[in-house]
Amino acid sequence: MSVVVFVYLTFRLVTTHDLGAVLAAPEFDGPAFLLALSLTASWQLTFGPYVADTSRYLPTSTWVRTTFWWTYGGTTLGATWAMSFGALAYSVAGSAFKGNEVPYVVGLGGEALLIPLLLAIAPSASS
């Protein structure tokens, strides 16, 4: 369910806003970039215990390398997608986004999907 919602919200973000204008005039903020990089690295590193715990239930014939790469690929794809979505949403919305992240993202879906989007997004926003 969450993947479908996230695909839809990404589609809405890309198709309803002029991302070309945002991407055409990029501003590099060194400290913010380093903060984002450290958050991304810590996100990946904190997933290690889950891999170790889950991998002990796999058949003994499963290669360690296979477990690592499938897990790393999934967390990398998920983190890159979510963080890129958030960065683009903030770039497009500016001050309307900060402090109102969940209402802004849910608003991308339109009124017809308000309740399903809130149910899909709100639990992750509280963690």
Side-chain angles (χ1 to χ4, degrees), residues 15-87:
T15 59
T16 60
H17 294 85
D18 184 15
L19 296 181
V22 172
L23 298 174
E27 295 179 24
F28 182 73
D29 183 355
F33 174 77
L34 291 175
L35 175 63
L37 189 63
S38 65
L39 287 172
T40 303
S42 64
W43 175 270
Q44 294 293 13
L45 292 172
T46 58
F47 221 80
Y50 297 108
V51 176
D53 186 51
T54 304
S55 64
R56 67 183 168 156
Y57 300 108
L58 295 173
T60 55
S61 61
T62 305
W63 290 12
V64 173
R65 180 179 293 163
T66 303
T67 305
F68 171 80
W69 283 112
W70 275 102
T71 306
Y72 177 73
T75 60
T76 301
L77 175 65
T80 302
W81 188 0
M83 292 180 193
S84 297
F85 177 87

Side-chain angles (χ1 to χ4, degrees), residues 96-113:
F97 188 77
K98 195 168 187 173
N100 298 309
E101 295 86 356
V102 171
Y104 180 82
V105 170
V106 169
L108 287 172
E111 289 185 29
L113 297 177

Side-chain angles (χ1 to χ4, degrees), residues 108-125:
L108 287 172
E111 289 185 29
L113 297 177
L114 182 63
I115 299 300
L117 291 174
L118 279 173
L119 291 174
I121 293 173
S124 64

